[in-house]
Amino acid sequence: MPRWPHAPRHDFTARGVYMVTATTLNRVPYFDAPDLRSRLQDELLGCADRFGWGLQSWGVMPDHYHFMARSPEEPQTLPMMIRRLHSVTAIAVNKSAGVSNRKIWRQYWDTRIRDERDYFARMAYVYHNPVKHGLTLDPLDYPWCSARWLREHTHREFFQALCAYKPEKLRVPEPGSA
C-alpha cells in the first residue's frame, strides 16, 4: 500500500513506551502566553490519565510539545487521545484570540522506544528541550515540563545522569523541520 506523503505512519501494534512530538501549523507560537501553555500542559496530563497513558516526561513549548508515556493495554488509543488534546487546546487558543475554526495543530509523530539506550536518550531529549529552544537556562526553572516532577519522583542517580546527558547525541526530527 502506498504511503500518504503528508502524514506519518502510526503503528500501534505493540505495548510499550512511546515518544510523541507535535507541532503547531507552520510553527506559529500559538502557546506563547503562559496561560495557554498551562492549559496545554493541563490538558496533556488530563488526557494521558483519561486514556490510560502513563506519562514519564513531557515538555510544552510555544509551538510544539514532546512527551513520553507507557501505553495502556490498548496502544491504539493514542490517536483518540491526541485528537482530544488537539481539539480542546485548539478551541482554547482560538477563543483567546477571538477567532474560530482556525487550524492550530499540524501533525504528530510517534516512536515506540526500542531499548534502554533509546529510552534514556529520548528522556534526556525531552528533559533538555526547553533549554535547546532558548526558553530557559535550566529545565528545573521551566514550569511547563516534567523536570521538577522527575527530580522528585525518580532515583537520584537516574536524575543526575539525565541532567548530565548531552541532548546533541540524539536527533529527534520535529514535525515541520523537514
Side-chain angles (χ1 to χ4, degrees):
M1 173 183 241
R3 290 186 58 206
W4 177 246
H6 301 293
R9 182 171 170 251
H10 301 292
D11 183 17
F12 306 109
T13 57
R15 293 177 52 207
V17 176
Y18 286 79
M19 180 176 174
V20 175
T21 297
T23 61
T24 59
L25 186 64
N26 299 320
R27 298 298 296 243
V28 173
Y30 290 117
F31 296 91
D32 58 348
D35 62 319
L36 293 174
R37 254 180 282 171
S38 293
R39 177 71 186 265
L40 176 54
Q41 179 174 260
D42 292 348
E43 289 296 336
L44 171 60
L45 297 173
C47 281
D49 185 56
R50 203 171 300 120
F51 284 87
W53 282 80
L55 277 181
Q56 297 185 356
S57 66
W58 66 90
V60 172
M61 275 50 76
D63 64 352
H64 72 285
Y65 66 80
H66 301 284
F67 71 82
M68 288 181 59
R70 179 166 301 284
S71 71
E73 284 288 323
E74 300 293 328
Q76 300 86 352
T77 60
L78 184 60
M80 291 179 283
M81 182 181 103
I82 299 296
R83 267 194 306 276
R84 166 77 181 166
L85 174 64
H86 287 185
S87 174
V88 169
T89 57
I91 290 168
V93 164
N94 285 334
K95 184 177 179 182
S96 75
V99 299
S100 61
N101 297 323
R102 176 179 57 176
K103 184 173 173 153
I104 300 299
W105 294 104
R106 179 175 183 262
Q107 187 57 271
Y108 76 94
W109 274 243
D110 56 79
T111 303
R112 188 170 163 275
I113 306 304
R114 300 179 310 265
D115 54 37
E116 186 176 323
R117 184 176 174 185
D118 188 31
Y119 175 84
F120 189 75
R122 291 175 188 277
M123 282 289 286
Y125 183 86
V126 173
Y127 175 83
H128 290 285
N129 207 250
V131 174
K132 174 187 174 192
H133 291 285
L135 299 169
T136 186
L137 296 175
D138 183 343
L140 292 169
D141 295 333
Y142 190 72
W144 301 283
C145 71
S146 57
R148 288 187 214 148
W149 185 89
L150 287 165
R151 182 180 63 189
E152 294 169 11
H153 293 93
T154 59
H155 294 287
R156 193 179 98 230
E157 295 81 13
F158 176 85
F159 184 74
Q160 287 173 338
L162 189 63
C163 293
Y165 194 89
K166 302 293 182 225
E168 307 84 50
K169 291 183 179 183
L170 177 68
R171 294 193 185 277
V172 175
E174 293 184 5
S177 63

